[in-house]
Amino acid sequence: LVWSPDGKRIAFQRKEYVPTADLALNPKAFLALNAYRHEYESVDVDSGRSMVSAKGFIMESACGLNDGSILFLRNTPERSLVYDLWKVRTDPHTGRFLDSPQQLTHRDYKLKQISASLDGKEVVAVRDINSHPNIYLADLPPGHQDPRFTRIRRFTFSRSEEHTSELQSHHD
């Protein structure tokens, strides 16, 4: 769920399960992958009326910025377990997309959840390494610069693969 900057709309993703095979006709169909149909929607809070809709729009763990942009996580069929950070600019008054979504990260940061400061300059994220989630804060350069995280700071320290590699490097 993402509030619009003016508080007049809520945006969200619908995710509808679509089985790809009929088990009754084909007993081996349980081996087939199932699919989901995704749709982005922005709804007027007062009337409940849909203002914007986009079929095929995949968006996980989204947050809104004060300029109307939305930061979100997205995976692809080629890399279904990797969630990269994406951004789509929307009109802050109507919620309509102003351009195509832009991918901001291009390596596996093991991202699971994100949030951002209202100006979008800082992002907080949960990274999950071997089922040991930790919280990180990072800077996100302005859009005209090379999209990547900078000044990454770790806030929590649950046991994870990172501790193991840090300890091993001290003993080598």
Side-chain angles (χ1 to χ4, degrees):
L1 298 171
V2 179
W3 282 98
S4 64
D6 59 10
K8 295 183 178 180
R9 287 175 327 287
I10 297 174
F12 54 90
Q13 174 188 251
R14 291 183 185 273
K15 187 174 178 180
E16 180 184 354
Y17 172 74
V18 181
T20 57
D22 187 347
L23 283 173
L25 297 176
N26 181 2
K28 294 183 181 179
F30 70 91
L31 297 173
L33 293 176
N34 295 304
Y36 292 90
R37 195 172 299 137
H38 297 84
E39 182 176 2
Y40 170 89
E41 194 163 351
S42 181
V43 175
D44 180 78
V45 173
D46 291 331
S47 69
R49 186 169 55 96
S50 178
M51 306 297 288
V52 177
S53 179
K55 294 189 183 307
F57 192 89
I58 297 173
M59 174 177 81
E60 301 289 337
S61 186
C63 59
L65 307 180
N66 61 7
D67 67 355
S69 295
I70 298 173
L71 289 178
F72 59 96
L73 298 179
R74 173 183 278 183
N75 63 350
T76 61
E78 301 79 27
R79 296 181 1 153
S80 62
L81 299 177
V82 176
Y83 288 85
D84 286 304
L85 182 66
W86 290 70
K87 179 180 182 177
V88 65
R89 292 185 328 116
T90 69
D91 183 306
H93 304 293
T94 67
R96 297 209 182 281
F97 290 176
L98 297 176
D99 53 22
S100 297
Q102 175 190 9
Q103 187 173 345
L104 300 181
T105 60
H106 296 275
R107 68 175 254 221
D108 188 3
Y109 283 102
K110 310 279 188 221
L111 298 175
K112 298 298 176 199
Q113 297 175 30
I114 56 134
S115 188
S117 57
L118 286 177
D119 60 10
K121 292 181 180 177
E122 290 185 301
V123 176
V124 64
V126 174
R127 292 182 68 207
D128 193 352
I129 299 172
N130 294 333
S131 299
H132 296 288
N134 279 294
I135 298 171
Y136 290 79
L137 183 67
D139 293 347
L140 196 59
H144 61 277
Q145 294 182 19
D146 182 31
R148 60 183 164 72
F149 291 127
T150 59
R151 233 171 47 91
I152 299 171
R153 286 97 63 206
R154 188 170 174 177
F155 275 1
T156 61
F157 293 90
S158 70
R159 291 184 58 198
S160 73
E161 183 179 86
E162 293 176 68
H163 281 291
T164 305
S165 63
E166 288 170 7
L167 289 173
Q168 287 175 345
S169 66
H170 291 306
H171 293 295
D172 291 342

